Amino acid sequence: MTALSRQDEYAAHLEAAAQFIRENDHFLVVSHIHPDGDAAGSTYAVAWMLTALGKQYTLINEGNMPEKFRYMGAGQQTVIDYEASAGSMEASFTRVICVDCADFSRMGSVSQLLSPDVKLLNIDHHATNDRFGCYNLVVDTAAATVEVLYDLCMTMNIPFSHELNVCLYSGLLTDTGGFRYSNTSPKVMRIAADMLERGVKGHELTEHLLEKLSYPQIALIKSSLSSLKFAHGNQVAWLSVTLDELEQSGASNEDLDGLVNYPRSVEGVEVGILFKERKDVVKVSLRSNGKVDVAQVAKAFGGGGHVRAAGCAVEGTLDEAIERVVKEVGLALG
């Protein structure tokens, strides 16, 4: 497919998504469980877009929206915690906008709110996205889902309010690691520059999202670094966090953000891994420096993601999960 035909195809998908939003109302907006900066930014960005269009909507996620992302709601947008309110919710949504979910299961138990005749718009940037929507606006070359939403705003001539701009910039900032990762394209920088010109205070968002550490995070960093191990000629490094360490530190899931970058950043390491023990499963985050497609590694365990950043869940004990995943990474290294 030529570059021109890809552009035409993308334009058609943008217009189909725009038409779906224009012609419908009363949307459910949902992102993936344990939302990161891009998932949160995309959720709130869609809310501000729908507000500008005069549409009605409900924002729901499985679990709590992390406190550090709630500024994007500007005190006006609330993301309902479905786990906390499931017993009192009887809604059945026929129109859904799903953001930053690589597959249907990533929205978690919120999927129970979907009507049998649901029409779903799937907006995402994961290479492993399985196009589960009735409408699929998926760009696996985009650095973040908010990059796709920026294009959708342009297509729909939606005014760029300050609140919307903050969401778009925040999603780009977090999914590019502060514009340091290889997915930081010229287009990303142009969008970021556009947001800065529109008044977004990038330095303040960087300090809030990437530089500040909570006391539980510091405690977790101290304890987890003692677990650092290497394999496959020191090309693979990993940390592990046990249930006891999580409890003792008082850390939440969001306090685990960034831990996986410690093993990845060691000189000579090609793949860094973080193993997070849960009651019945081990959550695994993988980061690659380019030699290994960790999305394929994660896929072997039912997960997915990007070439350089992916995740999965592995059943069994922590030691069993470490053995299986490190072996799979070794096979990928060849």
Side-chain angles (χ1 to χ4, degrees), residues 68-69 71 203-212:
K68 70 177 180 180
F69 299 138
Y71 67 90
H203 63 289
E204 292 182 0
L205 292 175
T206 298
E207 182 177 351
H208 174 70
L209 292 170
L210 302 181
E211 295 182 2
K212 282 189 177 177

Side-chain angles (χ1 to χ4, degrees), residues 220-233:
L220 211 52
I221 290 170
K222 286 173 62 179
S223 63
S224 64
L225 281 176
S226 65
S227 72
L228 180 64
K229 291 183 175 61
F230 298 86
H232 305 300

Side-chain angles (χ1 to χ4, degrees), residues 150 154 160 165 189-199:
Y150 177 87
M154 297 293 283
F160 285 94
N165 298 341
M189 300 307 287
R190 285 193 293 269
I191 296 173
D194 187 18
M195 298 298 97
L196 293 173
E197 287 176 346
R198 294 176 188 271

Side-chain angles (χ1 to χ4, degrees), residues 28-36 38-44 58-66 69 78-86 89 93 97-101 106-111 113:
L28 164 65
V29 182
V30 58
S31 68
H32 59 72
I33 57 176
H34 306 308
D36 56 10
D38 186 31
S42 297
T43 300
Y44 287 115
T58 306
L59 313 178
I60 307 178
N61 247 70
E62 178 184 308
N64 203 27
M65 175 61 72
F69 299 138
T78 300
V79 181
I80 296 171
D81 178 352
Y82 183 67
E83 285 184 328
S85 59
M89 293 196 70
F93 292 92
I97 301 175
C98 184
V99 292
D100 206 39
C101 290
R106 289 290 285 152
M107 72 177 73
S109 57
V110 178
S111 62
L113 296 176

Side-chain angles (χ1 to χ4, degrees), residues 234-257:
N234 292 338
Q235 292 185 87
V236 181
W238 67 91
L239 299 175
S240 58
V241 177
T242 67
L243 280 171
D244 286 343
E245 287 172 331
L246 274 173
E247 186 175 335
Q248 290 170 11
S249 67
S252 63
N253 187 73
E254 62 188 281
D255 290 320
L256 294 168
D257 287 353

Side-chain angles (χ1 to χ4, degrees), residues 23-322:
E23 294 181 352
N24 292 285
D25 205 349
H26 299 280
F27 295 97
L28 164 65
V29 182
V30 58
S31 68
H32 59 72
I33 57 176
H34 306 308
D36 56 10
D38 186 31
S42 297
T43 300
Y44 287 115
V46 170
W48 293 116
M49 292 165 66
L50 294 175
T51 297
L53 293 168
K55 301 290 184 178
Q56 298 185 60
Y57 56 88
T58 306
L59 313 178
I60 307 178
N61 247 70
E62 178 184 308
N64 203 27
M65 175 61 72
E67 178 67 34
K68 70 177 180 180
F69 299 138
R70 294 183 194 172
Y71 67 90
M72 289 185 258
Q76 301 174 50
Q77 308 286 359
T78 300
V79 181
I80 296 171
D81 178 352
Y82 183 67
E83 285 184 328
S85 59
S88 61
M89 293 196 70
E90 299 179 358
S92 181
F93 292 92
T94 61
R95 299 296 180 264
V96 177
I97 301 175
C98 184
V99 292
D100 206 39
C101 290
D103 57 64
F104 186 81
S105 67
R106 289 290 285 152
M107 72 177 73
S109 57
V110 178
S111 62
Q112 298 171 23
L113 296 176
L114 274 57
S115 169
D117 61 343
V118 67
K119 297 293 184 184
L120 188 150
L121 170 58
N122 166 26
I123 307 177
D124 187 39
H125 72 125
H126 292 90
T128 53
N129 190 288
D130 59 7
R131 274 65 174 178
F132 57 89
C134 301
Y135 308 90
N136 296 289
L137 186 56
V138 180
V139 186
D140 57 17
T141 57
T145 299
V146 292
E147 180 180 333
V148 184
L149 290 174
Y150 177 87
D151 291 341
L152 186 57
C153 288
M154 297 293 283
T155 297
M156 300 185 72
N157 293 315
I158 292 175
F160 285 94
S161 66
H162 178 71
E163 293 82 7
L164 174 58
N165 298 341
V166 166
C167 298
L168 297 175
Y169 191 93
S170 298
L172 286 179
L173 180 72
T174 52
D175 255 25
T176 61
F179 308 110
R180 294 181 295 115
Y181 299 160
S182 62
N183 60 351
T184 307
S185 65
K187 181 181 177 183
V188 164
M189 300 307 287
R190 285 193 293 269
I191 296 173
D194 187 18
M195 298 298 97
L196 293 173
E197 287 176 346
R198 294 176 188 271
V200 171
K201 292 180 170 57
H203 63 289
E204 292 182 0
L205 292 175
T206 298
E207 182 177 351
H208 174 70
L209 292 170
L210 302 181
E211 295 182 2
K212 282 189 177 177
L213 295 173
S214 66
Y215 284 104
Q217 277 180 299
I218 291 294
L220 211 52
I221 290 170
K222 286 173 62 179
S223 63
S224 64
L225 281 176
S226 65
S227 72
L228 180 64
K229 291 183 175 61
F230 298 86
H232 305 300
N234 292 338
Q235 292 185 87
V236 181
W238 67 91
L239 299 175
S240 58
V241 177
T242 67
L243 280 171
D244 286 343
E245 287 172 331
L246 274 173
E247 186 175 335
Q248 290 170 11
S249 67
S252 63
N253 187 73
E254 62 188 281
D255 290 320
L256 294 168
D257 287 353
L259 266 182
V260 69
N261 289 318
Y262 285 90
R264 183 194 63 82
S265 299
V266 177
E267 185 177 3
V269 168
E270 290 295 339
V271 178
I273 315 171
L274 175 63
F275 295 93
K276 298 158 283 187
E277 187 180 38
R278 295 289 187 265
K279 288 183 180 179
D280 54 356
V281 74
V282 178
K283 296 284 188 177
V284 185
S285 296
L286 302 112
R287 298 294 183 271
S288 171
N289 281 321
K291 190 174 181 179
V292 173
D293 181 350
V294 289
Q296 293 305 312
V297 174
K299 199 171 182 179
F301 298 96
H306 305 286
V307 171
R308 289 176 178 256
C312 58
V314 180
E315 294 183 353
T317 67
L318 181 59
D319 288 340
E320 289 169 346
I322 291 172

